Amino acid sequence: MQDFYQQFTSEKCEKFSVIVENDGRVCYGYLLLDERIIGDVWLYNQIETPILADWDTGAKMPFLNSIVFSKDSDDVLRISNNEDVAVEWIFKKNSCDFDKANVRIKGRIAAILKRDSKPGWSINAKSDGPLA
């Protein structure tokens, strides 16, 4: 699915939200605190995965992940429709003390976002890298 955008606000503590966005090139998740990004993660490339990624210029943001860090295209968990995406909020002991947000695609945990996790964790990354 291309051109997907959805914001998920925590019901427990509305100052936290997650945006999942596919701009037709690449899909990312962003953790926000009061509309300020405090964590991000690459979810998958929508277009062909590059052999080398060009992370040197902001003009190509958000960045595609390179083949070195991305699972093979056939193994990538992708969004097919709006119902495929959900966010599971994890807070510490009945408070607004945020622990993490699990981004689920088709019921599976596809990404984990934490405060100041830049990058977060993505199931579609085959190794740690600058985007996931």
Side-chain angles (χ1 to χ4, degrees):
M1 175 179 211
Q2 294 186 19
D3 297 334
F4 176 86
Y5 179 95
Q6 193 164 355
Q7 187 166 6
F8 302 85
T9 301
S10 167
E11 291 179 8
K12 181 171 186 160
C13 192
E14 293 181 358
K15 65 183 182 177
F16 290 104
S17 64
V18 168
I19 292 174
V20 177
E21 179 177 26
N22 181 340
D23 66 1
R25 293 179 54 251
V26 64
C27 187
Y28 271 81
Y30 303 98
L31 174 64
L32 286 78
L33 171 61
D34 295 325
E35 303 303 316
R36 184 177 55 87
I37 297 173
I38 60 169
D40 60 57
V41 66
W42 167 87
L43 293 171
Y44 57 86
N45 296 331
Q46 183 64 40
I47 63 173
E48 185 176 343
T49 298
I51 294 171
L52 298 172
D54 186 4
W55 297 314
D56 294 333
T57 174
K60 295 185 180 182
M61 288 179 64
F63 298 117
L64 296 167
N65 214 352
S66 70
I67 201 163
V68 173
F69 301 108
S70 304
K71 285 187 178 177
D72 294 335
S73 185
D74 294 340
D75 296 330
V76 171
L77 185 60
R78 298 178 189 273
I79 299 167
S80 300
N81 59 61
N82 291 350
E83 290 77 37
D84 284 348
V85 186
V87 174
E88 175 185 25
W89 297 96
I90 311 295
F91 287 90
K92 298 175 184 172
K93 297 188 180 180
N94 300 321
S95 71
C96 208
D97 188 9
F98 178 77
D99 187 34
K100 65 181 177 177
N102 296 328
V103 177
R104 292 184 173 272
I105 298 176
K106 298 179 182 174
R108 294 179 55 199
I109 296 177
I112 299 173
L113 288 162
K114 292 186 170 193
R115 184 188 307 251
D116 300 322
S117 63
K118 294 182 179 183
W121 174 88
S122 173
I123 195 172
N124 291 323
K126 69 179 173 186
S127 62
D128 290 345
L131 305 179

